[in-house]
Amino acid sequence: MHKYSCWFQSIENPDYKYNIDEVIYRCPKTGSLLEVEHDLDELKKETPKYWKNLFDLRYRKQSWPYGSGVWGKKEWVVPFIEDKNIVSMYEGGTNLFWADKYGKQVGVEDLWIKMCGNSHTGSFKDLGMTVLVSAVKQLISNGKEIRALACASTGDTSAALSAYCASAGLKSIVFLPKNKVSIAQLVQPLANGATVVSLDTDFDGCMKIVQEVCRRQQIYLANSINSLRIEGQKTISIELCQQFDWQIPDWVIIPGGNLGNISALGKGFLMLKEMGLISKLPRLVCAQAENANPLYQSFLNDFEIFNPVLAKTTLANAIQIGDPVSVNKAIKILKVFDGIVEQANEDELATASAKVDLTGTFNCPHTGVAITAFEKLVKKNIIKKSDKVVIISTAHGLKFVDFKINYHLEQLQGISNQFSNHPIEVEADPDKVMKVLEDNIL
Ligand SMILES: *Cc1c(COP(=O)(O)O)cnc(C)c1O
């Protein structure tokens, strides 16, 4: 038996608890989302210092699987999984990039970008998927019959699911909205051998289909409605504090679509505080694309009402979601963290992404949304120049080369071209080449 335990619990009524090895996504009694709860009394038998030391000792070391940013915190994440069932690809441990050059431009010098896209499949989705796929392996080894894992995806979830399933020898099925994901996002699940089903609908439509399919067959649902994923993603906050030597930033800004990650980020900070590893909480900002901004609209009404919207096309396609599954968790978290929701239109997000690339990143359009939110809050003087700020970069820019190249070739409709940069064609003649170089840089 493992020493630490966790279980599923209704987010509406803490009396409704379910075993962690049940295949269950919502509370059968209330219909609400579930979350994983931990036996904190047992965890608290060790001191904050003990946990900090343990996490630091394991961090990015080679003793498998504890060098992983997720599994190095296993006791706080999913202690019930036996090591032999863990499917890990050394996720987490991502660079906390000191954005000093860009920070100087804005006047906020204590500015950091957490590069969660520098990961196995190129997005933070790996953090949750390693937990979910490992949990399924554990269930199968306990005798449960699960034939395949499935998800609806705007791209990155399917890449993570198919890679972890391929590594585990499990079957994966992904439902993608036709013509709405990038080439890189389509090719990853194909390469990893997933069954890729392209549906003539949007993400919200794919989400409905996958839930129906999973109800009918022994197919396990891998979307972030599944609270096991949130436990893995929660390690972003723990790792962030660890990288700051257990100091807490004043602000953390994250782009949000289905709103699992903002919920996870908050859950991680709350656990750190409850366990005594940190003494205060940061403020959280959720950044949405104006074309898919149901949470922003709700924020304008102090979260008193929430209405799903029909998401319009956005360059930030991973957050093109009008009816976010985790909205209730996200609102709960934002209230606790004195949270703010900001939005970015298409021009703002593309310009912000290009502007920051000029200081050395290669960031994705969702990161552009978060950067826009950051600049808006600095302008409003809500974020102060002396504040310590972390922007969560959710995916690697190389997954979005079509967005990048179209920006630089000025082929995006309605987008200004302040920072675009195109190749210069010159004859292969040294004099002509020197002339061009003199005109441009010398
Ligand atoms: C999934 C994803 C998001 C949104 O995360 P949610 O948990 O759905 O809010 C943001 N950026 C990228 C790159 C993603 O893949």
Side-chain angles (χ1 to χ4, degrees), residues 246-265:
W246 306 103
Q247 306 232 322
I248 315 118
D250 298 297
W251 296 91
V252 184
I253 304 169
I254 189 167
N258 227 355
L259 307 179
N261 216 17
I262 175 84
S263 310
L265 197 71

Side-chain angles (χ1 to χ4, degrees), residues 122-125 154-157 185 224 229-230 233 254-263 286 317-319 321 326 364 366-367 393-396 399-400:
S123 86
F124 75 83
K125 298 291 200 294
T154 51
D156 294 327
T157 302
Q185 289 173 317
S224 61
R229 275 185 48 203
I230 305 294
Q233 290 170 210
I254 189 167
N258 227 355
L259 307 179
N261 216 17
I262 175 84
S263 310
C286 184
N317 67 358
I319 55 175
I321 296 173
S326 294
C364 76
H366 321 87
T367 307
S393 176
T394 44
H396 201 292
K399 296 185 96 173
F400 299 89

Side-chain angles (χ1 to χ4, degrees), residues 17 98 131 166 175 199 217 228 239 242 277-278 297 333 362 368 385 391 410 420:
K17 296 182 169 64
W98 181 32
V131 170
F175 294 93
L199 297 176
Q217 289 289 342
L228 289 166
E239 183 171 292
Q242 183 175 19
L277 275 69
I278 60 174
Q297 296 195 24
I333 285 292
F362 192 70
K385 303 246 154 141
I391 294 171
E410 299 174 15
S420 59

